[in-house]
């Protein structure tokens, strides 16, 4: 592993229900060095955001959890970590697809899904633990589709590096390279010079400045345009009437066209 601390210690499991659950349980019992990774090639009950499942074919994809200790951030800055992780993954995907003849655009679908074109290639589930105001640790769970060939007719709008680039990739090589890209972004975050992180995130934001349909938590539809994401990670949407409305994660979702 060609990194300073991310992935220098790897706990590899033949199979586990969820690497995030495993890492959280471990951290309740004993301390782990920052950068520790819990990795498996056979995750059987992967968890996603909004209480969803993360399904991943055994031996085909990356499913792992990274332990971080962002004690240099305050609780109100949690979304900065989310942005940083999404950017690290975006950098890795861009590197892997750099020789693809007509690459689709890599973007981050709010809050932190990684998309290529209109298909999802990776998801992130970050679970933070605080004591009072002190940020103790984060478990950053990453699922990235590497070699799984998703069926075109499947309702899942998912894609993978192999599907896009044509080549079968080594899962372990992908892990090493991804760790490197994440570490570069995380070290940048540590400097607290966050303007580049904010700028890069906004530049990659899926459907920013485009009209799109959303569903609000009261089930009503909203025809709006994403203009920004505020410092708390809330989506800022401009309505057709020109009003800016702010939504947290539970309050709005995209409707796929
Ligand atoms: C999402 O897109 O909703 C987030 C998916 C996160 C999946 C990863 S796979 C490794 C880690 N362990 C889990 O149970 N979930 C995350």
């Amino acid at each position: 592993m060609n990194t300073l601390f991310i992935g220098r210690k790897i706990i590899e499991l033949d199979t586990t229900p969820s690497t995030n659950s495993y890492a959280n349980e471990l951290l309740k019992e004993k301390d782990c060095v920052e950068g520790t990774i819990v990795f498996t090639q056979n995750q059987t009950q992967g968890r996603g955001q909004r209480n969803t499942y993360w399904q991943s074919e055994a031996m085909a994809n990356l499913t792992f959890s990274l332990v971080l200790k962002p004690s240099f951030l305050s609780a109100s800055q949690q979304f900065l970590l989310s942005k940083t992780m999404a950017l690290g993954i975006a950098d890795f995907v861009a590197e892997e697809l750099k020789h693809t003849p007509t690459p689709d655009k890599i973007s981050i679908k709010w809050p932190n899904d990684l998309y290529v074109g209109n298909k999802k290639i990776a998801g992130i589930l970050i679970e933070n633990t605080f004591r009072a105001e002190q940020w103790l640790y984060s478990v950053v769970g990453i699922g990235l589709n590497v070699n799984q060939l998703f069926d075109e007719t499947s309702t899942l709008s998912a894609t993978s590096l192999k599907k896009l680039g044509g080549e079968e990739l080594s899962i372990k090589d992908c892990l090493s390279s991804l760790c490197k890209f994440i570490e570069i972004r995380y070290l940048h975050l540590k400097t607290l010079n966050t303007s580049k992180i904010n700028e890069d995130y906004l530049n990659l934001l899926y459907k920013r400045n485009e009209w799109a349909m959303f569903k609000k938590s009261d089930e009503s539809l909203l025809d709006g345009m994403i203009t920004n994401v505020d410092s708390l990670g809330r989506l800022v949407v401009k309505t057709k009437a020109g009003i800016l409305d702010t939504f947290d994660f539970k309050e709005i979702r995209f409707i796929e066209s």
Side-chain angles (χ1 to χ4, degrees):
M1 188 69 64
N2 182 21
T3 52
L4 293 172
F5 64 101
I6 292 190
R8 302 288 302 196
K9 177 167 189 228
I10 299 185
I11 299 169
E12 185 168 352
L13 307 167
D14 286 343
T15 177
T16 194
S18 155
T19 55
N20 263 41
S21 302
Y22 188 96
N24 277 309
E25 287 304 315
L26 189 69
L27 283 156
K28 272 191 224 152
E29 281 163 28
K30 62 173 189 129
D31 194 23
C32 269
V33 61
E34 184 173 45
T36 298
I37 279 178
V38 177
F39 170 84
T40 187
Q41 297 224 56
N42 188 11
Q43 181 174 255
T44 53
Q45 281 177 297
R47 296 188 286 114
Q49 297 187 48
R50 300 181 199 265
N51 287 324
T52 55
Y53 285 111
W54 180 260
Q55 285 173 345
S56 180
E57 206 173 278
M59 314 308 285
N61 302 313
L62 269 175
T63 48
F64 68 98
S65 300
L66 164 65
V67 177
L68 292 176
K69 300 185 177 176
S71 51
F72 53 91
L73 296 177
S74 62
S76 64
Q77 291 174 306
Q78 286 176 62
F79 198 65
L80 270 174
L81 181 68
S82 177
K83 285 179 185 175
T84 303
M85 294 299 111
L87 288 170
I89 300 173
D91 295 342
F92 164 73
V93 172
E95 173 67 21
E96 290 299 318
L97 297 181
K98 71 178 182 205
H99 298 304
T100 312
T102 48
D104 280 327
K105 190 172 177 285
I106 297 165
S107 59
I108 300 170
K109 187 171 174 186
W110 179 79
N112 58 15
D113 285 344
L114 271 296
Y115 267 61
V116 181
N118 59 3
K119 292 192 187 296
K120 183 162 168 173
I121 192 157
I124 312 175
L125 177 66
I126 304 182
E127 296 175 305
N128 298 325
T129 299
F130 296 87
R131 189 194 297 134
E133 281 300 286
Q134 169 77 1
W135 195 328
L136 293 183
Y137 54 82
S138 296
V139 171
V140 180
I142 297 176
L144 192 144
N145 301 328
V146 179
N147 291 323
Q148 187 167 342
L149 291 176
F150 295 91
D151 183 356
E152 280 301 339
T153 57
S154 141
T155 48
L156 275 175
S157 77
T159 192
S160 66
L161 292 175
K162 182 173 176 181
K163 196 147 191 210
L164 295 162
E167 277 178 40
E168 181 96 7
L169 299 167
S170 144
I171 302 291
K172 290 276 175 77
D173 288 353
C174 285
L175 179 66
S176 299
S177 173
L178 177 55
C179 284
K180 188 77 204 157
F181 283 106
I182 288 176
E183 185 170 272
I184 292 167
R185 288 284 183 176
Y186 187 67
L187 289 174
H188 193 135
L189 175 66
K190 274 193 168 200
T191 67
L192 294 177
N193 181 354
T194 54
S195 50
K196 183 162 166 54
I197 292 171
N198 291 326
E199 190 186 311
D200 288 355
Y201 178 83
L202 272 188
N203 283 336
L204 288 187
L205 197 58
Y206 180 79
K207 293 214 170 149
R208 177 167 166 250
N209 295 334
E210 284 176 36
W211 292 106
M213 286 303 283
F214 300 88
K215 193 179 256 183
K216 300 202 266 182
S217 46
D218 64 4
E219 298 292 302
S220 65
L221 299 181
L222 169 66
D223 192 356
M225 184 189 276
I226 296 173
T227 60
N228 202 356
V229 174
D230 73 11
S231 64
L232 294 175
R234 295 176 304 198
L235 196 66
V236 182
V237 181
K238 184 167 87 178
T239 67
K240 287 270 174 179
I243 295 163
L244 292 183
D245 234 338
T246 305
F247 299 92
D248 77 21
F249 188 54
K250 286 183 273 336
E251 293 172 332
I252 196 164
R253 60 174 65 220
F254 277 95
I255 297 182
E256 298 311 331
S257 45

